[in-house]
Amino acid sequence: MIAALVATVLAAHPLGNFSVNHYDGLTIHRDRVEHVAIVDSAEIPTLQQPVSGPADAHARRACAELRTAVHAQAGGRPLGWRVAEASFAYQPGAAGLRTSRLTCRLTAPLLVDRPLALTFANSYRADTSGWREITAKGQGVRLSASTVPAGSVSGELRDYPDDLLSSPLDVRRANLTVEPGEGGPGAEATVPGVDVVTRYTGLLADRLNTLVGADRLTVPLGLLALLLSLVLGAVHAAMPGHGKTVMAAYLAGQRGRLRDAVTVAATVTATHTAGVLVLGVLVTVTAALTGEAVLGWLGVVSGLIIALIGVGLLRSALRHRHSHEHGHGHGHGHGHEHGHGRWSGGVVALAVAGGLVPSPSALVVLLGAMALGRTAFGVMTVVCYGLGMALTLLAAALALRRLGDLALVGRLGRLRPYGAAMTASLVLLVGAGVTLRAVAALA
């Protein structure tokens, strides 16, 4: 039974659970322009904006708002759009949550009796992130020039390409030249790729969402879901750009005790779990909160904390190096274990920074469990997710320390006096990288 259920994958939204995705399809006729606008919202935006009243009434209101955000000109004159058809529907999403799909069909009069330059832009919900695609084709007229393709590579937001996820299409404007006649191909659409680790991590997340959203959650299925959460947390901590594994290098470089490493791992677990729980509550009580913006700012804070710790460590290492050389130059003997009583506070702060940014996949599992009345189980999955991160940190710290011991036996032993400065530099560089990446995501 478990194998059958796991094989039936109820996939999370391929563009991410925070995404709001847009498609604009233009068809130019001799006497009019038809525009199909589709807004495909993932689980969390759908949860944050519940529909009150009949779906068709909501669709008409939303399409009227979208119409005012569409800006198009032909021959330098604005087109006057009207809503010809509007529809709205929910679809099953991850972990028992729903996604939503708004479809608006607009039309505007246009006489194509000579070559015309046509520009198009849609600013509806422009502050959201996700897939943005525009297509344009002629019917009874010819597109002699176009900056967008004639066909949709996403099947009008129904069949996203497999190798895309990391950087989705972001086309917000189209420039066309239309004239009487037939034919004229559109521009080629380029689709980015995704790495193997991300693809298979997504498959694991899909299976976890299926288990959490099962109609009947048995003990074996629950245990399997917790195990998957543990694995996903471990993979999440090992992936680049999160700043967590640098803590393992710091632990190894500081030569801390195993008890210190366990303390750091527990801190990461507690911080990440608390972050997911707090953000889960916030996104359910207010629609004004943009989940991706919160994650972005938390990423900035996390990166700055890591970078500041790196600066402090580098200053301490250089100061210690200077005093060490000065002391030996005057024939004074002293021990080599400096500041062990002070480093624990810094590494705990580093652990807080590493666990500060909640995982979107863990958040979706929590929200799905809450929606199904399984809040306690959702919290347990989030805790297991954090434990998986902690296990990765412990394993990486032990491995790095072991490699360090082996290296010191050989020719790399001469680098030992510079170990503290090298570790501090690594922490500083990772902190700067995390900060810049978070700022770029917010821009």
Side-chain angles (χ1 to χ4, degrees):
M1 181 182 69
I2 294 177
L5 180 58
V6 173
T8 307
V9 177
L10 182 60
H13 198 287
L15 267 298
N17 308 107
F18 287 104
S19 64
V20 178
N21 309 285
H22 301 255
Y23 168 76
D24 296 288
L26 302 175
T27 303
I28 298 94
H29 300 263
R30 291 183 62 100
D31 59 349
R32 69 190 185 281
V33 179
E34 294 178 348
H35 171 208
V36 177
I38 299 172
V39 182
D40 175 28
S41 299
E43 290 86 352
I44 292 179
T46 299
L47 179 69
Q48 288 184 290
Q49 295 189 332
V51 173
S52 58
D56 55 351
H58 170 76
R60 288 193 297 270
R61 291 193 300 269
C63 288
E65 182 181 352
L66 183 145
R67 179 185 64 83
T68 62
V70 174
H71 307 285
Q73 291 186 341
R77 302 180 62 180
L79 297 179
W81 298 99
R82 69 175 181 86
V83 179
E85 185 180 339
S87 64
F88 178 84
Y90 286 114
Q91 296 174 332
L97 299 178
R98 298 182 295 181
T99 64
S100 61
R101 185 178 178 91
L102 172 69
T103 303
C104 306
R105 298 185 181 275
L106 311 181
T107 184
L110 174 66
L111 179 60
V112 183
D113 57 355
R114 56 187 174 85
L116 293 173
L118 192 150
T119 61
F120 173 87
N122 184 354
S123 61
Y124 180 69
R125 302 193 68 176
D127 58 335
T128 58
S129 62
W131 177 275
R132 290 180 179 269
E133 181 183 9
I134 302 176
T135 64
K137 61 183 179 180
Q139 190 165 327
V141 298
R142 178 174 181 268
L143 299 185
S144 56
S146 175
T147 61
V148 295
S152 170
V153 297
S154 68
E156 299 184 356
L157 307 185
R158 292 190 182 276
D159 185 20
Y160 294 95
D162 292 333
D163 295 331
L164 101 95
L165 310 176
S166 57
S167 55
L169 290 182
D170 189 16
V171 182
R172 298 170 183 258
R173 298 185 59 84
N175 297 302
L176 318 169
T177 300
V178 57
E179 58 189 44
E182 293 285 348
E188 291 292 331
T190 58
V191 179
V194 63
D195 60 271
V196 175
V197 175
T198 301
R199 182 183 299 116
Y200 285 101
T201 301
L203 291 176
L204 286 177
D206 290 341
R207 280 150 178 79
L208 175 60
N209 293 329
T210 301
L211 295 173
V212 173
D215 293 335
R216 184 169 175 265
L217 186 63
T218 62
V219 172
L221 292 182
L223 293 176
L224 182 57
L226 295 179
L227 178 60
L228 284 178
S229 296
L230 195 72
V231 173
L232 285 171
V235 174
H236 178 74
M239 292 181 70
H242 296 287
K244 298 177 184 68
T245 49
V246 72
M247 284 180 288
Y250 179 64
L251 285 169
Q254 291 291 330
R255 319 297 292 170
R257 298 165 297 180
L258 179 60
R259 186 174 65 183
D260 299 318
V262 172
T263 300
V264 171
T267 303
V268 171
T269 301
T271 305
H272 181 266
T273 302
V276 173
L277 295 178
V278 171
L279 186 56
V281 172
L282 291 177
V283 298
T284 55
V285 299
T286 175
L289 180 68
T290 304
E292 281 202 334
V294 174
L295 293 180
W297 284 112
L298 287 176
V300 172
V301 173
S302 174
L304 289 175
I305 292 175
I306 296 172
L308 288 174
I309 292 173
V311 170
L313 290 173
L314 188 58
R315 290 179 57 189
S316 177
L318 294 177
R319 190 164 54 242
H320 170 60
R321 176 71 181 164
H322 175 74
S323 63
H324 182 82
E325 293 175 348
H326 181 73
H328 277 284
H330 287 80
H332 298 296
H334 52 81
H336 292 269
E337 297 298 329
H338 296 276
H340 181 74
R342 296 186 302 167
W343 74 272
S344 58
V347 80
V348 169
L350 194 62
V352 171
L356 190 61
V357 182
S359 167
S361 56
L363 177 62
V364 168
V365 169
L366 175 65
L367 293 175
M370 292 171 61
L372 294 172
R374 301 167 180 167
T375 302
F377 179 71
V379 174
M380 290 174 62
T381 60
V382 174
V383 171
C384 286
Y385 199 99
L387 288 174
M389 294 166 51
L391 290 175
T392 294
L393 287 175
L394 286 174
L398 294 175
L400 287 173
R401 181 160 186 172
R402 178 61 178 163
L403 290 174
D405 291 339
L406 293 176
L408 290 175
V409 175
R411 291 188 228 174
L412 294 179
R414 64 180 180 272
L415 296 178
R416 183 171 186 174
Y418 308 100
M422 293 170 62
T423 302
S425 299
L426 175 63
V427 174
L428 175 58
L429 289 174
V430 170
V434 171
T435 303
L436 291 175
R437 180 175 177 176
V439 170
L442 287 170

